[in-house]
Amino acid sequence: MTKPYDRILSIDFETYWDSKSYTLSKLTTEEYIRDDKFLAFGACIHEYGSAGATQWYRGDELHRVLSTYDWGRTAVLAHNAQFDVSILSWRYNVRPAFIFDTLSMARALRGVEVGNSLARLATDFSLPPKGTAVHSTDGLKAISQEVEKELADYCAHDVYLCEEIFKRLVVGYPTSELRLIDMTLKMYTEPVLLLDQEMLVKAIEEERTIREGLLQRLDIDEKHLASNPKFAELLHKLGVPPPMKTSKTTGKQTLALAKNDAHFQALLNGDNVDVKTLCEARLKVKSTTERTRAQRFLEIAQRGTLPVPLSYYGALSGRWTASKGSAINMQNLKRNSFLRKAIMAPEGYQLVVGDLSQIEPRVLAWLSDYEDMLDIFRSGADPYAAFGAQMFNIPGMTKDSHPDLRQSAKSALLGCGYGLGWASFAQQLLTGFLGAPPVRYSKDFAKLLGVNSEYAQAFAKWDGNEEKLMEIPHTCSTQDLVYHSLASKAIIDTYRRTAHPVVSFWSMCDHALHKSLVGGKEMVYKCVTFRKGEIELPNGMKLLYPDLRQIKDDKGKSQIVYGPHATKLYAGKITNNITQALARIVMTDGMLKVSKRYPVKGTVHDELIAVVPDAEVEDAKTWVLAQMTMEPRYMPGIPLNADGGAHRRYGLAKN
């Protein structure tokens, strides 16, 4: 990468705060910096790599000082740069050419479960400890010279620590990943997306009207629906026994009234209209996420454009997660929701969206040399119907001819490639597998899958199956649960017979787990390298499994775990981690290519959002998808595909 900067300035702000109402523990970064109470006491600035002293500048000097730099050729380095660079951008109209962030880098190199604060990093790298200001500035708008001197020294030491940590982290850090950190931070610090205030106000009011209408019709108030015991009483009054389940933590019986409980779903989707209405009302009251997010969107819109808060390398696989403390999770906006539609491009621009199609099954097929599946993807045919035709030996299967079997094949293709067991599969189907509506397989469907008396007898004889079956939360009869479980087991078995190369890949991962991750013998497989406690990826980053060790569970069975929470590691999980990590690299490669022409201002899972001038939209739609589906040099032969579209409103771009 040609450096887009000539110098790097390390910077750290010290700002006004008030423990009663105005702190980053009570406000989001966006709320804090855009608030009228915001005040910068000052900032320390140092040119990285120079012998000059770190300079403290008072708040009233900063506009003048910052105006002396050519920001088109100046980069910024900070720890938690989202905070400091947002201040530069929103308060001083300064947009650095490039952003370096030691917090993001540490998260990727050290893992998400260890502490990556400046204080923790200083300790771990044997640096002088982070300072502690003796005098508190809590609630002070004006500070004495003595306090300012102490604050300046404290701030300068933070800059020193940040630079020393950066020196240690940047060695060998992939340039492409540094560009992704910069891109992620600029989604937040240089926001351009607008929010439709009128749409948000209308949606909030409509939701309130519907919710209050339900409560009025039922002649109850919110507290009866929000409280489990009170809701159970309401069910009793309707002649319905409240559903129960065994708590996984206490082992005792408890009310099964959570949204994803199979028992609650059965009531919600049952034939009793009064009970359905009651459950719908409970969801309206309990499901505050969308309501709260709509209100937060509205408040942000009243302050300005939408900063997109994402944590680079928030997950083990390198995937983004919602930025901690942001209060809006941009990674789980429901498709076709009014929240997506309320997000808009600036006037004169549209949002061009590109979404990788079935990227994880494609990566897994490539990893496992599953040529039949790769050929299906290469053909461009409906992959779920084509895979279903193979699974169930029904040539020419289509979505219309066999919708139930196609849906079963889709569930298997998307969810069973990581060693999913029949019991987990059966349970997830009852509550809605991968976002699909809840499903309970019938006796007739089980027969369609080839389940006969011999299969059922073998299932019953298998040690542990009966115990697993009865642990599945259910509201149907035991006999109906058996048919559902037999059908689920048949799908898992059929998947594993059909996708036998994937099963072989699991065996390879199990071998690598014991010989390399635990045993320490280096092993290369295609584009990944297994070593003790880690798997190196083709972009130079690593999947980390710290403190990998062998323990025995409560039944005396040996298992391998890692990390402070003793997270279990097994072949299916390794398969999942590698597949997700490689899918993420394919996605980010596309984002980096697109960003050379158009700013990428958001990403949701396998989807990117680029901001494109109206006049270029038609060409851009094709060009963006072409960038996303270029064959990666590290995955030769993988057939990639993507779909997308464009619209001024994000929620309408793919319609």
Side-chain angles (χ1 to χ4, degrees):
M1 176 183 82
T2 303
K3 290 183 179 179
Y5 56 88
D6 299 320
R7 58 154 68 100
I8 302 174
L9 293 183
S10 306
I11 191 163
D12 186 58
F13 280 92
E14 297 298 335
T15 60
Y16 163 76
W17 62 287
D18 182 340
S19 60
K20 294 180 181 178
S21 60
Y22 183 65
T23 69
L24 286 170
S25 63
K26 296 180 179 179
L27 301 172
T28 67
T29 297
E30 182 270 336
E31 289 173 312
Y32 181 89
I33 297 174
R34 283 177 166 171
D35 196 286
D36 291 340
K37 293 192 280 292
F38 179 84
L39 171 68
F41 291 130
C44 276
I45 300 176
H46 179 252
E47 183 167 345
Y48 178 74
S50 75
T54 298
Q55 181 64 50
W56 165 264
Y57 297 101
R58 296 190 312 275
D60 57 7
E61 300 177 288
L62 283 172
H63 277 287
R64 175 188 61 79
V65 170
L66 293 172
S67 69
T68 64
Y69 295 102
D70 175 10
W71 291 102
R73 296 296 304 171
T74 302
V76 162
L77 165 64
H79 189 78
N80 189 16
Q82 185 187 88
F83 178 74
D84 295 286
V85 180
S86 291
I87 294 174
L88 285 174
S89 177
W90 305 346
R91 286 291 174 174
Y92 298 97
N93 200 31
V94 166
R95 292 167 182 80
F98 202 82
I99 305 171
F100 293 98
D101 179 35
T102 46
L103 176 59
S104 294
M105 297 169 72
R107 192 185 298 123
L109 293 179
R110 291 160 47 90
V112 296
E113 292 188 337
V114 300
N116 288 303
S117 67
L118 198 65
R120 175 64 182 270
L121 290 167
T123 299
D124 290 353
F125 285 126
S126 300
L127 294 167
K130 179 175 165 61
T132 54
V134 176
H135 294 91
S136 173
T137 58
D138 184 0
L140 298 179
K141 280 282 189 177
I143 54 176
S144 66
Q145 288 185 347
E146 179 188 4
V147 171
E148 183 184 349
K149 173 64 168 60
E150 182 181 317
L151 205 59
D153 291 343
Y154 169 82
C155 187
H157 184 61
D158 277 1
V159 167
Y160 162 77
L161 290 176
C162 179
E163 290 191 346
E164 290 300 310
I165 290 165
F166 180 68
K167 289 175 186 176
R168 290 156 173 78
L169 297 178
V170 77
V171 177
Y173 206 94
T175 300
S176 61
E177 292 296 316
L178 291 173
R179 288 178 59 200
L180 286 171
I181 293 174
D182 173 71
M183 180 192 298
T184 303
L185 289 168
K186 286 179 179 175
M187 291 177 190
Y188 192 88
T189 64
E190 298 179 16
V192 299
L193 300 179
L194 305 176
L195 290 165
D196 187 333
Q197 294 189 52
E198 185 177 340
M199 176 181 281
L200 291 167
V201 169
K202 183 179 179 181
I204 291 170
E205 180 60 27
E206 285 179 353
E207 191 279 337
R208 184 186 66 78
T209 301
I210 293 171
R211 178 164 39 91
E212 290 182 354
L214 276 170
L215 293 171
Q216 187 174 9
R217 192 159 76 246
L218 294 167
D219 193 25
I220 54 178
D221 57 34
E222 289 194 8
K223 67 182 181 182
H224 290 93
L225 295 173
S227 162
N228 279 0
K230 290 183 182 297
F231 187 76
E233 290 176 14
L234 292 174
L235 289 175
H236 271 303
K237 288 180 181 179
L238 292 175
V240 177
M244 305 294 290
K245 64 181 178 182
T246 303
S247 170
K248 291 183 178 180
T249 53
T250 66
K252 298 178 180 179
Q253 286 289 291
T254 185
L255 289 165
L257 297 174
K259 177 183 176 181
N260 292 326
D261 280 327
H263 307 74
F264 183 79
Q265 284 290 330
L267 296 177
L268 181 66
N269 295 287
D271 297 327
N272 188 318
V273 176
D274 291 338
V275 172
K276 286 180 67 171
T277 303
L278 188 66
C279 290
E280 287 169 1
R282 176 176 168 85
L283 288 180
K284 284 290 181 185
V285 170
K286 293 283 285 184
S287 300
T288 60
T289 302
E290 194 143 322
R291 183 160 78 241
T292 302
R293 192 156 33 185
Q295 185 60 44
R296 287 197 171 276
F297 270 22
L298 180 59
E299 292 166 0
I300 291 170
Q302 292 165 350
R303 292 188 288 266
T305 47
L306 172 66
V308 176
L310 296 175
S311 285
Y312 162 87
Y313 244 91
L316 171 70
S317 63
R319 295 268 191 184
W320 284 273
T321 58
S323 186
K324 186 178 180 182
S326 63
I328 54 169
N329 185 351
M330 297 289 288
Q331 292 287 286
N332 71 346
L333 297 178
K334 292 180 180 177
R335 293 193 181 276
N336 300 316
S337 68
F338 71 89
L339 291 175
R340 285 195 180 218
K341 293 173 185 174
I343 299 172
M344 301 172 64
E347 188 71 39
Y349 292 82
Q350 291 190 39
L351 302 179
V352 173
V353 172
D355 189 359
L356 287 170
S357 305
Q358 305 98 22
I359 182 59
E360 287 189 25
R362 291 170 190 266
V363 169
L364 181 56
W366 180 85
L367 279 169
S368 58
D369 292 320
Y370 188 3
E371 290 300 329
D372 286 350
M373 195 68 236
L374 291 172
D375 286 342
I376 288 174
F377 286 128
R378 291 184 185 110
S379 72
D382 177 349
Y384 307 125
F387 183 57
Q390 286 191 0
M391 271 187 72
F392 305 118
N393 194 26
I394 303 176
M397 177 189 290
T398 67
K399 184 176 183 179
D400 294 329
S401 67
H402 296 80
D404 292 340
L405 288 177
R406 179 190 176 276
Q407 181 60 42
S408 296
K410 179 178 179 179
S411 297
L413 187 61
L414 295 179
C416 298
Y418 305 135
L420 185 68
W422 70 264
S424 296
F425 186 47
Q427 181 171 332
Q428 290 179 52
L429 285 165
L430 290 173
T431 56
F433 188 69
L434 298 175
V439 171
R440 191 182 80 223
Y441 292 136
S442 66
K443 177 180 179 180
D444 289 341
F445 188 71
K447 286 183 177 179
L448 182 63
L449 296 174
V451 173
N452 53 28
S453 58
E454 186 179 352
Y455 186 91
Q457 289 170 8
F459 176 86
K461 288 179 181 177
W462 192 265
D463 186 38
N465 274 359
E466 184 177 351
E467 182 181 351
K468 289 178 182 178
L469 186 143
M470 295 314 299
E471 287 177 351
I472 297 173
H474 60 284
T475 53
C476 58
S477 68
T478 301
Q479 187 177 46
D480 285 341
L481 179 63
V482 169
Y483 291 134
H484 173 73
S485 298
L486 285 169
S488 301
K489 177 72 162 60
I491 290 173
I492 293 288
D493 290 345
T494 307
Y495 171 83
R496 294 183 180 186
R497 284 196 304 271
T498 308
H500 53 86
V502 174
V503 177
S504 296
F505 183 70
W506 299 343
S507 297
M508 190 284 299
C509 287
D510 186 66
H511 175 75
L513 170 60
H514 291 88
K515 295 296 182 182
S516 297
L517 296 177
V518 175
K521 183 177 181 181
E522 183 171 294
M523 180 177 129
V524 177
Y525 180 86
K526 292 198 171 186
C527 60
V528 297
T529 302
F530 296 85
R531 298 192 188 93
K532 190 171 184 62
E534 66 182 32
I535 303 172
E536 184 171 342
L537 303 166
N539 63 348
M541 304 303 284
K542 297 172 181 176
L543 296 170
L544 301 174
Y545 304 102
D547 191 22
L548 203 60
R549 58 202 185 274
Q550 203 155 10
I551 65 170
K552 290 187 177 181
D553 62 18
D554 53 4
K555 295 181 180 179
K557 186 177 179 180
S558 180
Q559 59 182 5
I560 296 172
V561 301
Y562 69 94
H565 305 299
T567 304
K568 187 177 178 181
L569 190 61
Y570 50 94
K573 184 154 192 173
I574 294 171
T575 301
N576 177 285
N577 292 163
I578 295 174
T579 303
Q580 284 203 1
L582 292 178
R584 180 262 190 191
I585 297 172
V586 173
M587 177 65 190
T588 55
D589 281 355
M591 291 174 66
L592 291 172
K593 293 186 187 88
V594 170
S595 70
K596 292 179 180 179
R597 183 179 296 184
Y598 301 114
V600 175
K601 286 300 179 180
T603 178
V604 181
H605 303 302
D606 304 317
E607 181 179 85
L608 66 79
I609 307 166
V611 181
V612 177
D614 285 340
E616 300 177 34
V617 165
E618 288 307 311
D619 287 339
K621 286 192 293 186
T622 303
W623 182 82
V624 165
L625 297 186
Q627 308 315 300
M628 297 182 72
T629 55
M630 285 185 184
E631 182 182 292
R633 54 173 175 72
Y634 47 87
M635 299 179 75
I638 185 172
L640 299 177
N641 195 19
D643 64 2
H647 198 279
R648 193 174 176 210
R649 293 185 184 276
Y650 171 46
L652 298 177
K654 288 173 61 180
N655 289 356

